[in-house]
C-alpha cells in the first residue's frame, strides 16, 4: 500500500512539473523595449473581451488607450474638401458615422458636426464626433510627455474616378507636415505609414528626419521588403493575422524595425509576440500590458 502511495505521489509530482514547464514554455517573455500602441486608439467596436464602445480613431478611444498605459496610438488620417487633415478610419462616412460620401467631399466643419455610428448597443454609450488632426495634437501637447503616434495614411479616395484615386496624396502629405510643424510635434515620436514607395519619397521631402514605415501585405512580403530596402525606410508594418517569425527575422536582418498591427485575444497576442516585433499596434492594450508585466 505504501509503495502504491509513493508511486501515486511521484506520478502527481511529475504531472505538476510537466504542466508547469508547459505553462512556462508558452508564457511570452517580457520585452522591456517593446513599444505598445493602441490600434486606432482603443481598437474597434467589440462586444466582449474587452467590451469597446469607442469608435476607431476617435478622441475617446485615443484617450482610453493612453490612460491604460499605452506608449502611444496609431491613428487614421484623411483630408477634407477644404484640405484639413481629419481623423477617420473608414473609406466612406456612412460606414461609421451619420454622414455620407467620402471625407474628401465634406468640409472639416461639416465632418466635425457628424456623430460616429456603431449601432446597438454602442451608440447608447458613445456620442463621439470626428476631430481634426490639429485638435488631436493640441490635446496631446497638454500631456506631460508627448506619446508616440503612428500616422496611417489613407491614400485611396474611393470617391474619385479610377486612375485618379491617389491624386490628392501629395497635398495630404504636405498638409500633415504643416500640421505637425504648426503644433511643434516632436518628429522622433512620429511614424509616418504608407503602402506606396512614391509616398515614401513625398514624406521624406516634406518632413526631413521623420520615421517612415512601409506597410507590406503578407502575400507580397518579398517584394515589399525589396521596396523597403530600396526606399531606405525605417520600419516595415505587418498584419498580426499573417505575420510570421521568419518575416520579422528577415526585416531585422535588413536593419529594419518591425511594427505589427492587430491582435486582441491572449492567443493572438502570444503568437504575435513570438515574432519579436519592436512595436505593436494592439486592439487590447490592457491585455498586452499585463502580458508584458506592465499592467494589472
Amino acid at each position: 500500500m505504501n509503495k502504491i502511495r509513493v508511486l501515486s505521489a511521484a506520478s502527481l509530482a511529475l504531472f505538476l512539473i510537466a504542466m508547469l514547464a508547459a505553462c512556462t514554455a508558452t508564457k511570452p517573455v517580457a520585452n522591456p523595449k517593446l513599444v505598445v500602441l493602441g490600434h486606432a486608439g482603443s481598437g474597434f467596436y467589440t462586444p466582449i473581451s474587452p467590451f469597446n464602445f469607442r469608435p476607431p480613431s476617435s478622441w475617446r478611444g485615443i484617450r482610453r488607450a493612453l490612460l491604460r498605459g499605452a506608449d502611444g496610438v496609431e491613428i487614421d488620417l484623411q483630408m477634407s474638401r477644404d484640405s484639413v487633415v481629419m481623423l477617420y478610419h473608414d473609406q466612406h462616412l456612412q460606414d461609421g458615422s451619420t454622414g455620407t460620401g467620402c471625407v474628401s467631399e465634406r468640409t472639416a466643419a461639416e465632418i466635425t458636426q457628424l456623430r460616429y455610428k456603431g449601432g446597438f448597443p454602442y451608440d447608447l454609450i458613445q456620442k463621439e464626433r470626428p476631430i481634426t488632426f490639429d485638435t488631436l495634437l493640441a490635446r496631446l501637447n497638454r500631456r506631460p510627455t508627448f506619446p508616440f503616434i503612428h500616422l496611417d495614411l489613407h491614400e485611396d479616395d474611393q470617391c474619385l474616378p479610377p486612375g485618379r484615386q491617389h491624386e490628392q496624396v501629395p497635398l495630404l502629405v504636405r498638409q500633415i507636415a504643416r500640421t505637425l510643424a504648426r503644433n511643434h510635434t516632436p518628429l522622433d515620436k512620429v511614424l509616418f505609414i504608407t503602402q506606396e514607395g512614391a509616398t515614401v519619397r513625398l514624406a521624406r521631402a516634406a518632413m526631413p528626419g521623420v520615421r517612415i514605415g512601409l506597410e507590406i501585405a503578407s502575400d507580397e512580403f518579398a517584394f515589399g521588403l525589396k521596396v523597403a530596402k530600396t526606399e531606405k525606410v525605417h520600419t516595415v508594418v505587418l498584419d498580426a493575422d499573417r505575420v510570421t517569425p521568419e518575416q520579422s527575422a528577415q526585416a531585422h536582418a535588413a536593419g529594419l524595425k518591425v511594427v505589427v498591427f492587430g491582435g486582441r485575444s491572449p492567443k493572438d497576442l502570444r503568437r504575435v509576440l513570438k515574432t519579436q516585433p519592436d512595436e505593436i499596434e494592439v486592439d487590447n492594450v490592457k491585455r498586452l500590458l499585463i502580458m508584458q508585466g506592465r499592467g494589472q
Side-chain angles (χ1 to χ4, degrees), residues 161-178:
R164 297 178 52 197
Q165 294 177 345
H166 284 71
E167 68 178 21
Q168 291 297 312
V169 171
L171 178 56
L172 173 56
V173 172
R174 292 196 298 271
Q175 290 297 83
I176 290 172
R178 290 166 182 159

Side-chain angles (χ1 to χ4, degrees), residues 257-273:
K257 296 286 186 180
V258 175
V259 171
V260 175
F261 65 91
R264 185 160 61 91
S265 70
K267 179 180 178 182
D268 286 343
L269 295 178
R270 283 193 293 269
R271 179 174 52 78
V272 170
L273 288 168

Side-chain angles (χ1 to χ4, degrees), residues 12 18 32 47-48 75 84 89 117 126 152 157 182 189 192 221 231 258 265 285:
L12 178 60
I48 56 173
I75 55 174
V84 176
H89 177 269
K117 183 176 63 177
Q126 72 85 14
D152 190 352
D157 189 338
R182 186 164 54 246
K189 293 295 186 76
F192 182 94
F221 179 77
E231 297 296 342
V258 175
S265 70
V285 168

Side-chain angles (χ1 to χ4, degrees), residues 63 71 103 133 158 161 167 215:
R63 182 178 63 180
D71 301 306
V103 171
F133 190 33
Q158 297 298 309
E167 68 178 21
E215 183 178 333

Side-chain angles (χ1 to χ4, degrees), residues 267-285:
K267 179 180 178 182
D268 286 343
L269 295 178
R270 283 193 293 269
R271 179 174 52 78
V272 170
L273 288 168
K274 287 180 181 178
T275 67
Q276 298 184 332
D278 301 285
E279 306 178 35
I280 301 180
E281 302 169 356
V282 67
D283 291 318
N284 191 340
V285 168

Side-chain angles (χ1 to χ4, degrees), residues 41-42 58-68 73 128 143:
S42 291
S58 68
W59 169 243
R60 182 173 289 190
I62 292 166
R63 182 178 63 180
R64 182 61 172 172
L66 295 175
L67 288 173
R68 286 285 194 193
V73 289
E128 287 287 286
R143 296 174 55 85

